[in-house]
Amino acid sequence: MPQIGRLTLAAAVLVAGASIIASACGGKAQSGGAGTPGAGLRSGTLTVFAAASLTDAFHAEATAFRQAHPGIDITFNFAGSPTLRTQLAQGARADVLATADMANMQEALKAGVVRDAGVAFARNRLTIIVPKSNPAKIETPADLAKPGVKLVLAANGVPVGTYARQAIAKMAADPAFGADFAKRVLANVVSDESDVKAVVAKVQLGEADAGIVYTSDVTKAIMPDVFMVAIPDAYNVIADYPVAITKGAKRPDAAQAFIDFLLSVNGQAILALNGLTPVASSH
Amino acid sequence: MTATTRTLGAARPGGRLGLGWIFGPPALLFAAFFAVPIAALAWRAGSSGELAANLTSPSALDALRLSALTSTVVLVAAVLAGTPLAYLLARRDFPGKMALDLLIDLPIVLPPTVAGVALLVALGRQGVAGQLLDRWGIDVAFTTAAVVLAQLFVSAPFYIRTAKAGFESVEPVYEGVASTLGASPLRTFFRVTLPLAWPSLVAGAILCWARALSELGATLIFAGNFEGRTRTMPLAIINAFDSGKSIDVPIALSVILVAAAAVLLLLLRVLARGAARNRA
């Protein structure tokens, strides 16, 4: 399984590299073409509310998007998906909302802050991370249940926190992990963080023995500080990321252009470069 | 109010417009800036109809209990450890006094998040002193003890500062008289200095307590956020807000903190007035 994962990643990187070169060479020619969505946008600011796990990917997307639409400035607000939803419901202004799960987007739709349930543009997987010093000696997911392990998760309701608890439940359903696996693991949780980046920080600093985050969170910047302990596919949970235009969007045209860009070959390649899984669809 | 105090808006002799009329409108507007958010909080809490239910939920009670416990421990620790320090700063000259004075003021002006990071790199598991503690099997991160340390770091300076001012206001003459009458230094301190400085010490303790109750940033970073263990009231508000559930829960918790802070400040005013009367 890990080999296949690595191959997929290598392929994605190749595709990404090729498409970036292509876009660099043909960027000018393309931008005026009828096929390029939202070309010739009036200048202005696009405000994007996005799940914390999208931080690196979306900064890269913005850089590329700006090349196609030099007049558009993108400002970001990154936080846990439920936080973004609450902020929007309390009147925060944004044009685009991207959450790390469908459930939060559905809640946003119910609250009347987005136009529709959006479109899935990326996937993500979970991994366990431990500090390089690995103080609790965690080698496999089963070790999370060892007594005294300081495990940090995102709060239940924050997508990665919900996914992590789902993965733990899947392991618990396997007799190999022992009957009270879920109970023992959850007893080891020492902090419920409000977004995934706070979980990463606690592990990176060596305060926590382990955390459950997205594979995309193990960026180049934190790789020197942490080890990944893979969660096998059978227990892993695939996160689906939807993106939607908000009800109060001031620049729905630019919002649509940004979403189209995310779904374009270039946009998908950039996601792959940042550790997310592109959506395999007709886009 | 003395007899010479001009009431708001009273016309000056010669019919010229008084400052009360000129400064009144902008002052009133600014007062509204403070009043409206607090009133909105109270109004929303009252109109939700679930204030009692939100406040008696197990997680709210856990947060209340933890806040009461930690801020009280902090109060006791700040008074016990802060009083000698405040006295020495007020009464003695020693090398490095200026630096120490400045050091104790630092947490007052620093963002609490800086306090959190500082505590982490000092007492965290990988921290300078934390590695030693770790070797002895003491691990404070993510414990209630970490909450107490975070609160103590940001709030004790308020006590030390106020207590120091209190000791400075005591005329050394009284202490001199007591010692010429044969009282030991410690007896002089407890029978003369302490009673005279008492109002300042109580005021400092109240400020310290209020600051400990409202501590958030240092706790989040240094102690984490876990129900019943490190999730105090301010963290419970963040948590309720971040959970994306009803906004009524953070509102209800906020109202409790507003009420607690208001009571503490009122107590402070009453004490200050009592002390002024005693002195007169």
Side-chain angles (χ1 to χ4, degrees), chain A residues 154-178:
Chain A
N156 210 354
V158 177
V160 70
T162 310
Y163 291 138
R165 285 166 179 83
Q166 285 170 5
I168 292 165
K170 279 190 181 182
M171 293 179 216
D174 184 334
F177 283 87

Side-chain angles (χ1 to χ4, degrees), chain B residues 216-241:
Chain B
L216 166 72
T219 313
L220 264 182
I221 290 178
F222 183 52
N225 187 348
F226 197 78
E227 186 173 327
R229 214 178 299 156
T230 64
R231 187 176 299 156
T232 54
M233 290 287 283
L235 274 77
I237 292 172
I238 283 276
N239 218 76
F241 190 83

